[in-house]
Amino acid sequence: MTAQITTSGIPFDAQGQAEESRRRDLAMQAFVRDIAMTNAVQLEACVRCGLCAGACHFFVTTGDPKYTPIRKLRPLEQAYHRHVGPFAPLFRLLGIAPRVTAEELEQWQELIFDSCTLCGRCTLACPMGIDIADLVKQSRHGMFAAGLIPDRLELMDRTTKLWGSPATPAEDFADIIRETGEERGVAMNIDKERADYLVTVAPAELTEHTKALSDAAKVLNKMGYNWTYHSKGFEASNIGYLNGDIELQEKMTRQMIDTAVKIGAHTLILPECGHAYGAARWESARWYGEKVPVRVIHMTEFLDEAVASGKLKLKQINQTASLHDPCQLVRRGGVLAAPRNVMKALGLDLKELADAGAVGWCCGGGGGVVSNKRADPIRYRAFELKRRQVEDANAERFVTACGQCRITLNLGANKYKWDKKVDSLLELVADNLID
Amino acid sequence: MELLQFSRGPALTFAIAVFLLGTLWRLIGILMLERRRVDAEARPGTPTPLAAAASGVLAKMWPHKTFLKSSLFSVLNGYVFHIGLAISVLLFAPHVLFVKSLLGISWPALPSNVVLAVAVITAGSLLASLVHRLTNPVQRLISRIDDYVSWAVTFLPVLTGIAAVAHIGGRYETLLAVHILTVCAFLIWFPFGKLMHAFLFVLSRGTTAIRFKQRGAEV
């Protein structure tokens, strides 16, 4: 792993010792392998109106047109037109579908990783309906194959392959669960042979957000459900999904689903993590190879159903609150009402942000950006947008349902000495259960 | 052979052939690619794929109010020249007669002076879109040759059509021949560049809408 700089002065990281031409070929193969009818239609449909730029927090806060979302697809698009598109042979013959160069891939690393949170606001703004965020994610497959991803993300990838989680070795998981339960006085279930609910976690919950572990347990215990955490299938954030490592994505997906099936669980509960939802709820069938035989739901959906069914009674907080909508959960996942329903059940008077729900601004740290140190300066600029809207809403509390969003927002708050605490919806529920 | 005969005859025939074959080739080439199965459990109440696609196509006709401010010029100007082009092409009496001679079908036309006025507005709108592309930093950066060629082959038929109807710049026969040749250029370029969005927008909006509606997400 070495940090390098392109001839045009753009920093990039490269993994392995492959020659540049080899990297380019590997990226091309991966790009081409991924292209199917749906994404071909979308790669063909752009009219270069540039309206996606106005939806991107990185363009809006920097004014730099290089961050225009559709531009981030250039290597993938070139690969498509040169090798896959209906006129590919003609374009090659006439020399009008240029080969992607290794230098271009190196330059585009910053655009595909550092300055894209996969939030999909651009997708919503695109008049042609091009799912730009999905195509950027697809571009990451080629970048990973070429060994051209940010080192920080590659480190998480390697750690996950080695440990089964980017946060902690899988063999320590059971101890963390037990210790958290003991510390907080909550009965924890771990590695049960049979359970109806398999509860999974996000990496931050094994480090700075351990309260979420006992809070999930507290809620499930309260409901009297047969549930468990499991050392063989606990990691839900799926680093492969973010990094473009499709083998790891498949492995992490299978690990969770296979464990759920093995213990006879009918429901797999995902943690408060947006990307976990994108990876497991909407993409797991692709990697599992067939329809997933268990129900996959986000913790927020679980809480919403529990409250709606009357099985979970909550104390009233009676304060005003704003909600940060995690992009993968709301804009790209359709879970719009659930967090609002739970907040209402908590007696929180919702003060919506100026841009809320499907059009809400990203926290700025999704898509692995918060883990990519190099992206800190533009991430902090993106945070400014959110801070302004939260301040304008002027609510007493600020709530979200994604641990990565919380981390990103708290980093921003620390940086700017902003005294707004970001609450977890799960933690609010667990702290306000009626005995 | 006279220029007008050439433009009406072999040039137009060749252009129509390239247009039809090229468009079909491109559409079939895209639609024949592998279709990846989406096996994720759809939310209850997910509309049929056709209904989802149709709603997506309609929903994208106007931007979400959050994006309206930043996209207002592009959206309004886009509507002006698209509607202007549709009126100029489809509702101008000589064009209706041309289609009738070709396909045997016809429909009522608008008075020529009305279409002329619409064509002038359309030309102005197209010029505005070019100025915007050249001056807006985002559009300038992401533009390619295709954008300028597509613009030119769209603008020139409008311009030469106005000249022919208003008898400006030469003999009517010559102006008409030049007008038809610019239409030929449009038809020949159509399958290869972004003008294909006339068909592709339905597929692009539709495929995304199917995916998002399955998730219960907004399109």
Side-chain angles (χ1 to χ4, degrees):
Chain A
M1 294 195 299
T2 44
Q4 299 176 41
I5 294 192
T6 64
T7 50
S8 46
I10 298 168
F12 72 97
D13 297 328
Q15 296 83 40
Q17 302 299 320
E19 293 290 322
E20 289 202 330
S21 59
R22 176 71 183 143
R23 289 186 194 280
R24 183 198 60 207
D25 292 345
L26 288 167
M28 287 306 102
Q29 286 162 17
F31 288 150
V32 168
R33 182 193 56 217
D34 266 352
I35 292 167
M37 190 273 279
T38 303
N39 36 33
V41 160
Q42 306 204 346
L43 285 170
E44 294 264 10
C46 181
V47 291
R48 265 84 67 189
C49 66
L51 297 185
C52 50
C56 175
H57 42 270
F58 293 124
F59 169 75
V60 169
T61 54
T62 64
D64 191 336
K66 75 175 181 177
Y67 295 127
T68 303
I70 198 73
R71 185 170 175 267
K72 296 170 184 172
L73 304 180
R74 198 159 93 182
L76 178 67
E77 217 181 341
Q78 279 179 236
Y80 169 76
H81 286 302
R82 187 173 170 81
H83 299 290
V84 185
F87 295 123
L90 182 66
F91 288 173
R92 279 202 302 274
L93 188 73
L94 299 175
I96 51 177
R99 194 187 277 271
V100 180
T101 65
E103 168 89 8
E104 275 175 314
L105 291 173
E106 289 158 5
Q107 280 185 32
W108 252 254
Q109 185 183 108
E110 181 214 10
L111 300 177
I112 291 171
F113 288 96
D114 302 24
S115 59
C116 181
T117 56
L118 307 177
C119 80
R121 214 165 177 270
C122 48
T123 298
L124 200 59
C126 175
M128 304 305 288
I130 301 170
D131 191 354
I132 302 170
D134 195 59
L135 293 169
V136 170
K137 185 159 71 62
Q138 197 172 309
S139 300
R140 292 185 176 192
H141 297 165
M143 298 297 281
F144 181 85
L148 287 173
I149 74 168
D151 278 347
R152 294 292 284 257
L153 299 188
E154 200 274 339
L155 178 64
M156 289 163 67
D157 203 89
R158 234 167 349 116
T159 311
T160 306
K161 280 175 182 153
L162 197 65
W163 285 354
S165 158
T168 188
E171 61 256 37
D172 293 352
F173 179 69
D175 290 339
I176 295 172
I177 296 295
R178 285 191 199 99
E179 283 163 19
T180 303
E182 283 161 17
E183 273 170 28
R184 300 184 185 277
V186 178
M188 302 292 247
N189 296 333
I190 177 77
D191 295 343
K192 282 174 74 171
E193 283 184 13
R194 305 295 294 174
D196 295 332
Y197 293 84
L198 174 66
V199 185
T200 56
V201 308
E205 295 177 351
L206 300 173
T207 52
E208 56 204 285
H209 293 160
T210 50
K211 185 174 184 301
L213 299 174
S214 54
D215 283 347
K218 218 168 140 183
V219 170
L220 283 146
N221 290 343
K222 181 80 190 164
M223 297 179 74
Y225 285 168
N226 178 15
W227 67 275
T228 190
Y229 286 118
H230 208 290
S231 306
K232 299 288 182 205
F234 64 91
E235 168 54 46
S237 66
N238 209 326
I239 298 305
Y241 172 85
L242 300 179
N243 290 354
D245 182 351
I246 52 175
E247 281 178 26
L248 183 61
Q249 183 174 356
E250 178 174 355
K251 185 182 162 192
M252 300 312 289
T253 300
R254 283 187 172 278
Q255 219 163 270
M256 275 194 316
I257 307 292
D258 287 345
T259 304
V261 170
K262 191 178 160 199
I263 65 169
H266 55 64
T267 303
L268 189 157
I269 302 178
L270 298 168
E272 282 196 325
C273 173
H275 289 289
Y277 195 67
R281 177 66 178 88
W282 302 116
E283 291 198 6
S284 57
R286 178 178 173 194
W287 305 108
Y288 193 66
E290 57 183 287
K291 246 187 176 88
V292 173
V294 290
R295 186 173 178 231
V296 178
I297 60 170
H298 192 268
M299 178 56 79
T300 308
E301 292 175 294
F302 176 79
L303 296 174
D304 180 34
E305 288 178 11
V307 168
S309 68
K311 289 179 184 165
L312 212 55
K313 304 274 187 220
L314 303 174
K315 293 176 201 157
Q316 299 294 289
I317 297 174
N318 293 325
Q319 284 185 311
T320 55
S322 289
L323 173 69
H324 164 70
D325 288 293
C327 307
Q328 303 303 320
L329 190 62
V330 179
R331 178 163 38 250
R332 299 186 65 77
V335 185
L336 180 72
R340 287 164 173 79
N341 295 341
V342 177
M343 287 174 75
K344 195 175 173 193
L346 281 163
L348 291 169
D349 178 15
L350 181 60
K351 302 284 178 200
E352 290 280 20
L353 304 181
D355 291 298
V359 295
W361 288 103
C362 176
C363 64
V369 171
V370 70
S371 309
N372 178 6
K373 190 75 186 154
R374 203 174 57 195
D376 279 2
I378 52 168
R379 176 166 59 75
Y380 285 129
R381 294 185 77 156
F383 168 78
E384 277 290 290
L385 272 175
K386 184 60 74 174
R387 179 173 82 157
R388 231 175 292 140
Q389 294 206 333
V390 174
E391 284 177 353
D392 290 347
N394 197 26
E396 289 160 284
R397 284 181 178 271
F398 181 34
V399 181
T400 193
C402 170
Q404 286 297 301
C405 295
R406 274 169 75 202
I407 290 173
T408 304
L409 294 167
N410 281 329
L411 284 170
N414 291 342
K415 163 91 176 168
Y416 293 106
K417 311 277 181 264
W418 190 48
D419 60 0
K420 203 85 183 170
K421 179 176 173 278
V422 190
D423 289 316
S424 140
L425 193 57
L426 168 64
E427 292 183 13
L428 285 180
V429 168
D431 291 344
N432 290 283
L433 296 174
I434 292 177
D435 294 326
Chain B
M1 189 187 285
E2 291 275 326
L3 187 62
L4 184 56
Q5 276 178 299
F6 169 74
S7 63
R8 273 181 172 158
L12 191 58
T13 306
F14 175 74
I16 291 174
V18 171
F19 169 77
L20 289 176
L21 292 174
T23 301
L24 276 176
W25 179 268
R26 187 158 166 195
L27 283 176
I28 291 169
I30 297 167
L31 295 173
M32 291 286 281
L33 287 169
E34 177 201 346
R35 287 173 193 220
R36 210 153 274 156
R37 284 172 52 196
V38 180
D39 282 335
E41 189 72 39
R43 288 197 192 285
T46 295
T48 62
L50 193 62
S55 76
V57 171
L58 286 177
K60 288 286 184 184
M61 298 299 275
W62 193 251
H64 192 289
K65 66 177 179 187
T66 300
F67 305 125
L68 192 56
K69 196 177 163 196
S70 60
S71 59
L72 195 59
F73 169 78
S74 297
V75 172
L76 291 181
N77 194 52
Y79 269 108
V80 169
F81 72 72
H82 277 91
I83 293 170
L85 285 169
I87 291 173
S88 305
V89 172
L90 298 175
L91 299 180
F92 184 47
H95 292 170
V96 175
L97 286 174
F98 174 74
V99 173
K100 191 178 179 186
S101 71
L102 209 65
L103 303 173
I105 53 169
S106 67
W107 51 83
L110 284 175
S112 291
N113 53 353
V114 172
V115 178
L116 184 61
V118 168
V120 170
I121 292 168
T122 306
S125 173
L126 283 166
L127 275 172
S129 75
L130 178 66
V131 171
H132 192 258
R133 186 168 290 283
L134 291 168
T135 55
N136 177 279
V138 167
Q139 271 204 297
R140 202 173 56 226
L141 183 68
I142 62 175
S143 293
R144 303 174 193 157
I145 300 284
D146 173 24
D147 296 294
Y148 298 106
V149 174
S150 295
W151 181 87
V153 298
T154 307
F155 179 73
L156 288 175
V158 179
L159 187 71
T160 56
I162 292 169
V165 172
H167 303 283
I168 302 168
R171 272 195 330 130
Y172 174 71
E173 286 74 14
T174 310
L175 292 171
L176 182 61
V178 171
H179 175 59
I180 295 171
L181 286 174
T182 59
V183 172
C184 291
F186 175 91
L187 292 171
I188 290 168
W189 182 251
F190 186 97
F192 302 101
K194 73 168 187 182
L195 295 172
M196 270 291 286
H197 76 271
F199 294 111
L200 292 169
F201 85 98
V202 175
L203 298 174
S204 177
R205 289 179 184 180
T207 49
T208 297
I210 291 169
R211 179 187 294 167
F212 276 63
K213 290 281 176 185
Q214 185 196 38
R215 302 176 179 192
E218 198 172 316
V219 178

